[in-house]
């Protein structure tokens, strides 16, 4: 794997690959790779000739008092794992080159960023959309791959690609989980032993919702209520939200039908954990 820090060099290397007629894939990440990241590298690796992975802890998507400084960084370990997965280029730009003094340009996907995680993280999705668009312009990939784990992020990036007429295909890889169901995340490192044990309740609550819906429940508040009750039985859980929303608009639905995203956020100690399930729900008549 070749490490590139310089933005111009990244542009030039990608441009010459493109000039040779090679297809380019990009997987944007904040590093600290775990099997969730590696699954996205594999999805992309099968489909493109040149695989670029960016490692950039993006300051514009962190709010004041969030974990920007504490966020785990280990470029050497990441480079070894990238090498093992056949990643061609690891792009690791400097923060002050990505955002020089006086930086002022941001992308906003209005209407989708003030919901769910956006409520407690104002500005977060503006930072995400901005850094993604910058990375897309530097690398100009044919394919970008994101994870379903960050469900709202995937919806927002897809809408940005669509509405800004970007010539890039997007794929979303399934959430990779620990054996007890906990979604893999760099932030799981913040959990102590007790918190880690209790955190499996989040996936249990999502599965419980799925079972309720399979047995005919179509009232979103009834399902959310059962999920909240289950999660609140974990003494260390501090639930932020449980929402059942339209998978495309992220707006609340009155009846559970069609493509529904069941999303939640919950604190355990210093860790803010998110998870979701994407369901296609038949109406009760056809079920
Ligand atoms: P991050 O480094 O956390 O910003 O994540 C980089 C990419 O990996 C994003 O597209 C995430 O959605 C994706 N990702 C993170 N965790 C997982 C997981 N457990 N399973 C699948 N994809 C993931």
């Amino acid at each position: 794997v070749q490490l590139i820090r310089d933005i111009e060099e990244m542009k030039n290397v990608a441009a010459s690959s493109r000039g040779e007629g090679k297809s380019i894939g990009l997987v944007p990440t904040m590093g600290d790779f775990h099997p969730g990241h590696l699954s996205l590298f594999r999805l992309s690796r099968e489909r493109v000739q040149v695989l670029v992975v960016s490692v950039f802890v993006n300051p514009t998507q962190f709010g004041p008092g969030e974990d920007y400084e504490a966020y785990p960084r280990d470029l050497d370990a990441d480079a070894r794992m990238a090498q093992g997965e056949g990643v061609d280029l690891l792009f690791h730009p400097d923060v002050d080159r990505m955002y020089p003094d006086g930086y002022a340009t941001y992308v906003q996907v209005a209407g989708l960023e003030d919901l769910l995680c956006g409520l407690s993280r104002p500005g977060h999705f503006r930072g995400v959309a901005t850094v993604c668009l910058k990375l897309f312009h530097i690398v100009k990939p044919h394919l970008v791959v994101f994870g379903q784990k960050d469900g709202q992020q995937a919806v927002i990036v897809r809408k940005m690609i669509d509405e800004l007429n970007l010539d890039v295909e997007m794929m979303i890889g399934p959430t990779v989980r620990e054996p007890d169901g906990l979604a893999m995340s760099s932030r799981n490192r913040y959990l102590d032993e007790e918190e880690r044990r209790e955190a499996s309740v989040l996936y249990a609550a999502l599965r419980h919702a799925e079972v309720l819906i399979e047995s005919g429940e179509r009232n979103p508040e009834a399902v959310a209520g059962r999920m909240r009750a289950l999660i609140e039985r974990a003494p260390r859980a501090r639930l932020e939200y449980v929402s059942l929303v339209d998978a495309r608009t992220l707006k609340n639905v009155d009846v559970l039908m069609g493509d529904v995203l069941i999303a939640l956020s919950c604190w355990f100690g210093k860790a803010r954990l998110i998870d979701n399930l994407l369901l296609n729900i038949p109406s009760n008549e056809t079920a």
Side-chain angles (χ1 to χ4, degrees):
V1 65
Q2 183 188 347
L3 178 67
I4 298 182
R5 291 172 187 268
D6 187 70
I7 293 173
E8 287 309 312
E9 186 187 350
M10 183 67 247
K11 281 189 177 184
N12 293 336
V13 171
S16 71
S17 292
R18 213 174 313 106
E20 293 166 16
K22 292 181 176 159
S23 57
I24 302 174
L26 170 67
V27 183
T29 81
M30 299 205 299
D32 192 36
F33 296 157
H34 52 67
H37 295 112
L38 306 190
S39 73
L40 304 185
F41 304 166
R42 280 171 214 158
L43 274 178
S44 183
R45 181 68 286 177
E46 293 170 7
R47 287 166 177 83
V48 299
Q49 287 162 299
V50 178
L51 175 53
V52 183
V53 170
S54 60
V55 173
F56 183 63
V57 183
N58 173 38
T60 64
Q61 71 188 69
F62 288 80
E66 288 187 357
D67 57 344
Y68 175 68
E69 276 84 20
Y71 199 85
R73 291 163 172 88
D74 188 346
L75 192 63
D76 290 341
D78 288 348
R80 279 193 296 276
M81 282 188 262
Q83 176 77 34
E85 296 298 332
V87 174
D88 297 299
L89 303 167
L90 207 54
F91 179 46
H92 181 58
D94 288 342
V95 173
D96 49 9
R97 293 291 170 82
M98 287 289 274
Y99 300 109
D101 279 349
Y103 186 91
T105 307
Y106 294 90
V107 186
Q108 228 156 332
V109 183
L112 289 182
E113 46 173 44
D114 307 326
L115 307 163
L116 308 177
C117 289
L119 285 174
S120 61
R121 305 190 73 188
H124 169 67
F125 289 110
R126 180 180 93 141
V128 169
T130 301
V131 80
C132 285
L133 188 61
K134 285 171 69 71
L135 293 168
F136 295 178
H137 278 134
I138 293 166
V139 177
K140 299 192 185 73
H142 301 86
L143 173 73
V144 290
V145 182
F146 288 79
Q148 180 58 37
K149 157 81 182 0
D150 298 273
Q152 186 173 11
Q153 167 172 289
V155 171
I156 287 175
V157 172
R158 194 182 279 294
K159 193 167 166 74
M160 175 184 78
I161 289 173
D162 185 36
E163 295 188 348
L164 293 182
N165 312 101
L166 304 184
D167 281 322
V168 63
E169 189 193 333
M170 179 177 186
M171 270 185 66
I172 298 175
T175 302
V176 177
R177 301 179 178 282
E178 300 285 356
D180 68 350
L182 178 66
M184 290 192 180
S185 164
S186 304
R187 293 191 166 99
N188 293 350
R189 289 179 186 274
Y190 302 156
L191 300 169
D192 71 21
E193 213 173 303
E194 279 299 297
E195 291 157 356
R196 170 63 191 84
R197 226 188 331 270
E198 290 185 13
S200 66
V201 76
L202 301 180
Y203 185 59
L206 290 167
R207 289 282 302 130
H208 185 59
E210 190 174 14
V211 170
L212 289 173
I213 293 166
E214 273 165 7
S215 60
E217 182 62 74
R218 291 293 180 273
N219 178 344
E221 264 317 302
V223 176
R226 296 283 292 276
M227 292 177 70
R228 286 184 196 110
L230 188 65
I231 293 169
E232 280 159 7
R233 271 195 251 153
R236 290 164 185 79
R238 285 175 292 130
L239 190 58
E240 201 169 80
Y241 70 81
V242 169
S243 293
L244 292 90
V245 298
D246 181 293
R248 202 172 42 84
T249 65
L250 305 181
K251 300 277 192 296
N252 284 317
V253 290
D254 297 328
V255 179
L256 296 170
M257 225 178 64
D259 291 325
V260 169
L261 183 73
I262 311 180
L264 58 82
S265 162
C266 185
W267 286 88
F268 283 89
K270 293 190 291 292
R272 180 181 179 278
L273 304 182
I274 59 172
D275 202 350
N276 68 81
L277 273 189
L278 192 55
L279 298 182
N280 182 269
I281 305 175
S283 77
N284 266 341
E285 289 79 63
T286 60

